[in-house]
Amino acid sequence: MVVPHTHWDREWYLPFQRFRVGLVRVLDEVVDAMAADPAYRFTMDGQLAAIEDYLEIRPARRGDVARFVAEGRLAVGPWLILADEFLCSGETLLRNLEYGMRGAAALGGAMPVGYLPDQFGHCAQMPQMLALAGLRLACLWRGVPAHVDRDAFDWTGADGTTIRTRYLPGGYGNAFGLFTGPAEAMPDRVTAFVSTAKGWAAGDTLLAMYGADHSAPAREITASGLRVATLAEALTGDRADGAHGQVPRVVGELRSHARANILPGVISARVPLKQAMARAERILTRYAEPLSALWLADRSACERLVDMAWRSVIACSGHDSVTGCGSDETAQQVGARIAEAGQTAQAVVDLVAASLAEAAPKGALVVVNPSPFERTGLVLADLPEDRASLADSSGRAVPVQRLEHAPTLLDETVMDDLSRLLGRVHERELYGHEIVSWHAGDGVFTVTVSRHASGAYAYEDLRRAVLEAGPGPWVVRTVAEPVVTVAALVTVPPLGRAVLTARPPAPGRPAPVAGALTTDACGFEPVLDNGLLRVRVAGDGTLSLRGADGTEIHGVGRIVHGGDAGDTYNHAPPPDDRLVERPSRVVVEEVCSGPLTGAYAITRVYDWPAGLGDADDEAAETVPTAVTTRVELRAGEPFARCEITMDVRCRDHRVRWHAPLPRAAAASYAEGQFAVVRRGLTAEGGGRDGGGERPIPTFPAESFAAAGGLAVLLDHVTEYEIVRDGSSGDGTEMALTLVRSVGYLSRNRNPYRDEPAGPEVPTPAAQCQGPLTVRLAVLPYAGEWHEAGLPRLAEEFRHDLLAVPGTGAAGASDADGEGPGGGGRVAISGDGVMMAALRERDGRLEVRLVAEHPTATEAVVRGDFTAAWTAGVLGSPLSPLEVSRDEVFPGDWADGQKPAASWRTVRVPLKPFEIATVHLAHLGSA
């Protein structure tokens, strides 16, 4: 059965708009062919965005497109974008499906196949995601393991969901040559194709994918005598379950190199893109959307802003976009769109913050918890020197630690005409502060300002004082009230807030701190210890860690520099690669020393080869590079936070962060896309129909990677490897890629790949030169990853408490109420239960839950609702849930706060790694 189709890269070696010109040409041909020939069929490559891009230029053809979709002749969707499944969050993948299916439904209906033709491997939760959207059939190419010897297999996801999956041997263009060449030779070409395809056939239908990148199939195919169909028509009803024996079964993610190239180097290409994507997703999913749903009464503007941000994030998740494997022009545009998505989401957070600030008086501090469980964590606040302590709503002292004083002299200028000062004043604002008072004397005119001034002020009074001061010259000084930056240890209820009040420091002992941080009392050793973790800085700049359970690691944070002769798709070390790991100089400086936070700045200077040509020559040019690690330990946290900064000035190289494992490991565990995946120490290669790509055991991790008692918490998708011992074969060390610098989109001759992955286009910006900062946290642990609570620790590391200074009138506070607009709180608990998203949807509160736990668990959701039910990805209700009166557990609520009497509880049983969408509502709105 012939399936005419195209695969359209929206942006790749050309930027989006230049590719769109070709898209319009191709789809003009397709729509014309369908209008002229009722037998003509066409399948888009699973993404609706290309159709939307076309109709934006050709709006007059929307009616034709909708008619062909409704007739089943034009297959569109179900995705909005063909995303890289490992370089965006699981929530982004689900929203991608939601937007794609909703948009396709408006045109007549989405293709009922999870078509994934060109992604560079597939995540472990994809079967469940497709099933949640009502799709029980997938079709794909890359990542299929060697034991699959049929063109169909059963794919079982992380939670146990199994879907039938059609494999495309030879790729999505396996029949591209069928209609090329002399017409009289067509029977021979068909015979050859059938001969090859029958060797793979698991069912009765031989799938001939007639199409390629950026091209339209010939119109004459319907006259060939072969049956022409859309992909959905070809696969629907095909019984690939026994005609040629049982189909194989595959469990978990698809990242094998055996059948096709999976191009793993895209995980570490253009690292700043990955960082920006993670930031945008985090602000949107965990701050903008949930906080606006909980704390804003008028969400009309926010809803539109959130929709705009989601569309940008999804668009940038494309497999040639966030991957960084496009041209520099493409990467520049992707980076700008990701930044705009993050800024749009931040605008929503700003609206929420402003609403919360107005409900608290000036001098107060509102602290918001983005997590669905109670959090105790640090926030920073700038307080007046004479009110540099904080109290909670019950009047109890909040632990604080002074960090630094802000400069008090903001400006000093000599003015002959003092009226020039008035040109700098905007009502009450001067240099970003608010005017408190002024004084003139001895040739000096002093203006005192504050970040949040109180008391009476009139611009006319200031103007009169300036005019009465007389002729100059005057020395005009702008002086800020003394301000000190403090770290405060605050406890905040689930998805709630705490309102703190600044007050003068009380005499006597400071507020007690549980797990206070200590340092070496004698100052002989750079040591940080909070009772949960002890960190010592060694002479070579690496760290020694000892957990409360006695687990120890030494030599953590070794920096290793090597060459890279590859490209954006595949890392390839040069011949006789010279690794540099010894610093020429190490400097350790204390930053702060507790009791709430302690930190050291460790600067190591390395002499790295300037480029590939210098790597094997001891006398060649080197670039002195300072790598500074700021290691921080906070009270109550069992992990050490590390912020690694450097100025990247070398070319064609890879820099990795290494840490030994406390015990030998046979596997690693990595979180990503709603699953924790177990991976061995090697990658599968070779096999029938292989792509000639050298398998390397580097893998992606989204929020954490763990092995052998070492866990690293991550703030963006990061490439990692468990390095094996040369003699035993055991995993003994974890390596994380900090930056990988390459100069080509694809090299025609890459030592680790037989064939080009794209055109050999120079990409100087992919060298990623300039300042780079990478954040991570590290901890030793005993037992298994779930026993150490790694998903929850990653949640706390990745999602800071939000602190907002109050701006309301004196006495303004609803700290004990439900917040502006009646926004309430929701609490979620359960072993391994994580909240992926929370939003308002059609007047109801929608919560996405994920069981990141290897055994069955139960989610307990509490809040102000009277009805609850599970829902599908598109929001349709599935089954009601029993709602009972709220149960309050000891320690669930901060500062003695209790949930309102109207709160209820719903319990949701979850299988390991199950995704559940729950809607909460009052009966009147259900």
Side-chain angles (χ1 to χ4, degrees):
M1 194 173 297
V2 178
V3 178
H5 73 97
T6 189
H7 168 46
W8 198 269
D9 300 295
R10 296 182 77 230
E11 52 195 355
W12 182 20
Y13 55 84
L14 293 178
F16 167 65
Q17 295 294 1
R18 293 183 66 187
F19 262 136
R20 177 149 72 168
V21 172
L23 172 70
V24 172
R25 174 184 53 78
V26 166
L27 290 186
D28 275 346
E29 294 178 19
V30 169
V31 174
D32 289 345
M34 299 189 85
D37 184 356
Y40 194 92
R41 301 289 192 270
F42 190 76
T43 297
M44 279 307 297
D45 56 354
Q47 58 181 341
L48 180 69
I51 297 293
E52 293 183 342
D53 296 339
Y54 172 71
L55 293 177
E56 194 172 32
I57 304 299
R58 295 275 196 255
R61 309 215 70 164
R62 184 178 183 87
D64 292 333
V65 169
R67 175 163 55 89
F68 300 147
V69 171
E71 291 172 354
R73 298 167 55 202
L74 175 60
V76 299
W79 301 96
L80 181 61
I81 291 289
L82 288 182
D84 186 287
E85 297 172 29
F86 297 96
L87 287 172
C88 63
S89 70
E91 187 63 26
T92 297
L93 290 172
L94 283 180
R95 299 299 177 97
N96 189 346
L97 261 181
E98 176 189 324
Y99 275 77
M101 296 190 73
R102 189 169 64 216
L107 289 173
M111 175 169 57
V113 178
Y115 188 31
L116 303 160
D118 197 31
Q119 283 93 326
F120 310 149
H122 304 280
C123 68
Q125 286 283 31
M126 186 52 64
Q128 184 180 187
M129 292 182 186
L130 293 175
L132 288 172
L135 304 173
R136 304 299 305 192
L137 185 65
C139 182
L140 50 82
W141 172 35
R142 301 185 194 265
V144 175
H147 77 269
V148 173
D149 57 359
R150 294 287 184 269
D151 62 4
F153 61 93
D154 284 334
W155 184 12
T156 300
D159 73 315
T161 298
T162 299
I163 62 173
R164 179 55 53 87
T165 302
R166 191 63 179 259
Y167 167 51
L168 300 173
Y172 51 81
N174 65 349
F176 182 69
L178 202 58
F179 295 91
T180 60
E184 60 272 17
M186 167 72 81
D188 293 336
R189 293 195 295 271
V190 170
T191 300
F193 175 84
V194 169
S195 175
T196 300
K198 276 190 172 181
W200 288 97
D204 300 324
T205 300
L206 301 182
L207 204 58
M209 301 295 291
Y210 173 43
D213 293 358
H214 314 138
S215 62
R219 291 191 182 192
E220 299 75 20
I221 56 174
T222 56
S224 66
L226 300 174
R227 184 178 173 187
V228 177
T230 65
L231 183 63
E233 290 173 327
L235 297 183
T236 301
D238 179 41
R239 294 189 55 79
D241 58 1
H244 301 275
Q246 197 72 19
V247 298
R249 180 170 178 258
V250 179
V251 178
E253 67 180 1
L254 305 180
R255 286 194 63 84
S256 171
H257 303 253
R259 298 291 185 213
N261 297 341
I262 63 168
L263 311 170
V266 298
I267 302 299
S268 53
R270 303 189 198 259
V271 164
L273 277 184
K274 281 65 172 176
Q275 294 176 315
M277 184 68 166
R279 281 194 301 269
E281 287 180 317
R282 196 153 49 234
I283 296 170
L284 175 57
T285 311
R286 297 303 307 279
Y287 293 91
E289 209 170 39
L291 297 185
S292 63
L294 293 172
W295 296 105
L296 285 184
D298 182 3
R299 290 185 289 274
S300 55
C302 290
E303 288 173 356
R304 180 64 185 130
L305 290 168
V306 165
D307 177 71
M308 291 165 57
W310 267 121
R311 285 189 171 276
S312 292
V313 164
I314 294 168
C316 293
S317 69
H319 70 292
D320 292 310
S321 302
V322 70
T323 46
C325 57
S327 67
D328 284 349
E329 294 85 357
T330 296
Q332 183 181 39
Q333 292 185 7
V334 172
R337 293 201 307 270
I338 293 175
E340 184 177 20
Q343 292 156 10
T344 304
Q346 185 60 52
V348 175
V349 177
D350 293 343
L351 287 172
V352 176
S355 177
L356 292 169
E358 290 171 3
K362 289 184 178 181
L365 186 71
V366 183
V367 182
V368 181
N369 179 6
S371 300
F373 52 85
E374 183 181 276
R375 291 267 303 271
T376 298
L378 286 190
V379 295
L380 299 183
D382 294 328
L383 303 177
E385 177 68 50
D386 59 351
R387 287 177 289 131
S389 67
L390 293 166
D392 63 22
S393 58
S394 301
R396 290 187 296 241
V398 172
V400 297
Q401 175 184 332
R402 290 173 173 246
L403 296 178
E404 61 183 4
H405 285 81
T408 55
L409 181 61
L410 301 184
D411 183 71
E412 183 173 285
T413 305
V414 177
M415 294 183 180
D416 291 325
D417 181 2
L418 192 56
S419 64
R420 288 172 50 202
L421 171 63
L422 299 177
R424 301 182 179 185
V425 177
H426 306 281
E427 186 52 33
R428 193 171 190 170
E429 183 270 332
L430 178 61
Y431 296 130
H433 291 62
E434 295 178 346
I435 295 174
V436 176
S437 62
W438 52 86
H439 172 75
D442 299 326
V444 178
F445 194 97
T446 303
V447 182
T448 302
V449 298
S450 173
R451 299 189 183 187
H452 300 286
S454 57
Y457 168 83
Y459 175 79
E460 186 57 34
D461 293 341
L462 173 63
R463 180 178 176 276
R464 186 181 305 111
V466 167
L467 295 177
E468 292 175 353
W474 286 93
V475 175
V476 181
R477 290 177 181 162
T478 305
V479 179
E481 288 186 333
V483 171
V484 61
T485 300
V486 304
L489 188 64
V490 189
T491 299
V492 193
L495 290 168
R497 62 177 178 158
V499 180
L500 311 179
T501 303
R503 66 184 186 183
R509 300 182 62 183
V513 179
L517 186 127
T518 61
T519 58
D520 180 8
C522 300
F524 296 139
E525 276 192 306
V527 171
L528 304 169
D529 194 333
N530 65 2
L532 299 174
L533 183 67
R534 184 178 190 272
V535 181
R536 183 178 65 83
V537 182
D540 62 356
T542 62
L543 306 176
S544 292
L545 308 179
R546 186 178 69 218
D549 57 16
T551 304
E552 291 193 44
I553 324 174
H554 303 283
V556 172
R558 195 172 86 257
I559 303 296
V560 180
H561 176 282
D564 195 325
D567 47 41
T568 62
Y569 289 104
N570 295 81
H571 162 73
D576 303 319
D577 190 17
R578 180 165 65 92
L579 302 180
V580 179
E581 58 183 88
R582 288 181 178 271
S584 59
R585 184 161 55 94
V586 179
V587 177
V588 180
E589 296 179 314
E590 183 180 85
V591 178
C592 54
S593 58
L596 303 185
T597 176
Y600 288 97
I602 308 160
T603 300
R604 289 171 283 182
V605 179
Y606 298 87
D607 295 317
W608 288 341
L612 276 183
D614 306 302
D616 54 0
D617 184 353
E618 295 288 346
E621 179 188 357
T622 60
V623 177
T625 304
V627 180
T628 299
T629 300
R630 185 184 189 274
V631 57
E632 179 190 7
L633 187 62
R634 298 180 179 180
E637 290 187 345
F639 50 81
R641 296 169 178 260
C642 296
E643 184 178 86
I644 304 161
T645 61
M646 69 183 82
D647 186 3
V648 180
R649 292 185 291 158
C650 302
R651 304 177 308 278
D652 301 308
H653 69 140
R654 182 177 69 170
V655 182
R656 299 209 291 181
W657 179 96
H658 288 243
L661 306 183
R663 55 184 183 270
S668 67
Y669 296 87
E671 194 280 337
Q673 296 76 45
F674 297 156
V676 179
V677 179
R678 183 186 187 277
R679 297 180 174 126
L681 305 183
T682 60
E684 182 183 60
R688 177 184 173 189
D689 196 40
E693 182 178 58
R694 179 165 176 172
I696 59 174
T698 58
F699 301 104
E702 184 180 357
S703 71
F704 71 79
L710 170 78
V712 181
L713 312 180
L714 306 165
D715 86 334
H716 66 277
V717 175
T718 301
E719 177 185 88
Y720 80 94
E721 178 182 1
I722 304 302
V723 181
R724 301 166 66 193
D725 179 79
S727 56
S728 68
D730 293 333
T732 57
E733 192 172 53
M734 182 184 294
L736 305 179
T737 302
L738 300 179
V739 65
R740 195 169 70 85
S741 301
V742 293
Y744 285 92
L745 184 153
S746 172
R747 287 182 186 266
N748 290 339
R749 300 182 65 183
N750 185 311
Y752 275 27
R753 189 187 61 240
D754 285 352
E755 300 176 354
E760 194 170 60
V761 175
T763 55
Q767 298 285 2
C768 298
Q769 296 195 320
L772 175 74
T773 299
V774 176
R775 293 176 60 248
L776 55 87
V778 59
L779 70 149
Y781 68 93
E784 301 298 328
W785 62 268
H786 58 282
E787 295 169 339
L790 295 187
R792 177 159 170 162
L793 293 179
E795 159 84 11
E796 296 184 10
F797 170 68
R798 290 164 61 89
H799 302 100
D800 292 331
L801 300 178
L802 177 66
V804 181
T807 60
S813 177
D814 61 354
D816 295 324
E818 293 187 334
R825 294 187 300 270
V826 174
I828 300 171
S829 59
D831 290 342
V833 175
M834 309 304 296
M835 185 187 81
L838 184 151
R839 61 172 162 168
E840 191 276 335
R841 191 170 190 176
D842 300 326
R844 307 187 260 282
L845 205 61
E846 179 180 276
V847 183
R848 188 101 65 210
L849 306 173
V850 183
E852 292 200 340
H853 203 262
T855 60
T857 185
E858 181 181 65
V860 180
V861 182
R862 287 169 287 150
D864 187 12
F865 56 86
T866 55
W869 57 93
T870 57
V873 169
L874 302 182
S876 56
L878 297 179
S879 58
L881 295 167
E882 182 181 352
V883 176
S884 62
R885 287 204 170 273
D886 184 47
E887 304 169 28
V888 180
F889 298 93
D892 277 352
W893 302 94
D895 302 336
Q897 299 180 55
K898 303 293 182 187
S902 61
W903 275 44
R904 299 292 186 268
T905 298
V906 63
R907 296 178 176 275
V908 185
L910 296 172
K911 298 180 297 183
F913 303 108
E914 182 177 356
I915 304 166
T917 302
V918 176
H919 283 190
L920 309 171
H922 289 276
L923 280 174
S925 64

